[in-house]
Amino acid sequence: MNKSIFFLLIFFFCLAPVSRAPAQETGDDAEMEALDEPPPPMPRQFRELALGMSLDDLRDALVRDGLFNFRGERDVSFLPVRQEALVETTGSSFIRRAHFQLFEGEVFIMSFTLDPRLVDHYSVFTALVNRYGQPLTLNPTEAVWEDDYTVVSIERPLTVKYIDRAVFDRLREEARTQEAWETLLREEFLAEF
């Protein structure tokens, strides 16, 4: 079978809605309850790395974890515009690169670019579907799962992101407010002509 046709079939299979067959009428209440159970909450942690952890805790966890090649302060950048820091490090084995974005001293985005020679998009997607159900958003560039606290996405070619929803929504709203303020100032300036 042609490789591109194979991947196209996998893509369409992923888009197809999943329907669960009803439990057989054996009176097995446990099986019925298992089908009705909501998926577990979205993960806020990968290994020892977690959303909400401090920069010092993040550094310590990266040093301890053999999956990352953290070089200390050389991998940490501070952004003066806001109280933000960015930690970028290479990985070994399954992870090529990892990015951690901090706001007010806490991690609010973790991004892991995986090595497609060792793990494929479909395997990661299937693992997340098996654990958390169908994604809320699915398109050719990304699949997104979310709950009230966390957003988890797989982006093509192969990046997995964990986002603290409350911090992300707050920053997005602040950006909108700033943009609206700048638009108002521009309109007032133009009105002076």
Side-chain angles (χ1 to χ4, degrees), residues 152-167:
V152 175
S153 67
I154 305 172
E155 299 174 359
R156 291 202 182 265
L158 191 49
T159 299
V160 178
K161 284 187 180 177
Y162 297 76
I163 301 170
D164 184 304
R165 187 173 183 164
V167 175

Side-chain angles (χ1 to χ4, degrees), residues 17 24-25 52 84-85 95-96 155 161 167 178 191:
Q24 293 180 350
E25 294 188 24
E84 290 188 33
I95 296 179
R96 280 190 172 173
E155 299 174 359
K161 284 187 180 177
V167 175
Q178 180 65 29

Side-chain angles (χ1 to χ4, degrees), residues 76-94:
V76 179
S77 303
F78 292 97
L79 308 172
V81 176
R82 287 191 247 175
Q83 300 170 339
E84 290 188 33
L86 179 66
V87 176
E88 179 181 4
T89 187
T90 59
S92 58
S93 183
F94 295 101

Side-chain angles (χ1 to χ4, degrees), residues 62-173:
L62 286 170
V63 167
R64 285 191 306 269
D65 195 324
L67 198 56
F68 300 95
N69 302 319
F70 183 65
R71 302 173 304 168
E73 293 306 310
R74 291 183 290 177
D75 289 343
V76 179
S77 303
F78 292 97
L79 308 172
V81 176
R82 287 191 247 175
Q83 300 170 339
E84 290 188 33
L86 179 66
V87 176
E88 179 181 4
T89 187
T90 59
S92 58
S93 183
F94 295 101
I95 296 179
R96 280 190 172 173
R97 298 200 73 72
H99 297 84
F100 304 88
Q101 196 166 344
L102 291 86
F103 179 71
E104 295 180 343
E106 295 183 348
V107 175
F108 80 99
I109 295 177
M110 300 188 301
S111 177
F112 305 99
T113 301
L114 307 181
D115 188 337
R117 296 171 299 170
L118 301 174
V119 65
D120 61 285
H121 187 276
Y122 182 73
S123 296
V124 176
F125 176 82
T126 302
L128 288 172
V129 167
N130 288 341
R131 181 172 248 178
Y132 303 106
Q134 291 296 314
L136 214 56
T137 303
L138 179 62
N139 62 52
T141 60
E142 70 179 349
V144 179
W145 292 260
E146 61 183 87
D147 61 19
D148 292 341
Y149 307 102
T150 311
V151 176
V152 175
S153 67
I154 305 172
E155 299 174 359
R156 291 202 182 265
L158 191 49
T159 299
V160 178
K161 284 187 180 177
Y162 297 76
I163 301 170
D164 184 304
R165 187 173 183 164
V167 175
F168 185 75
D169 288 347
R170 176 180 156 202
L171 292 174
R172 187 170 41 190
E173 186 58 37

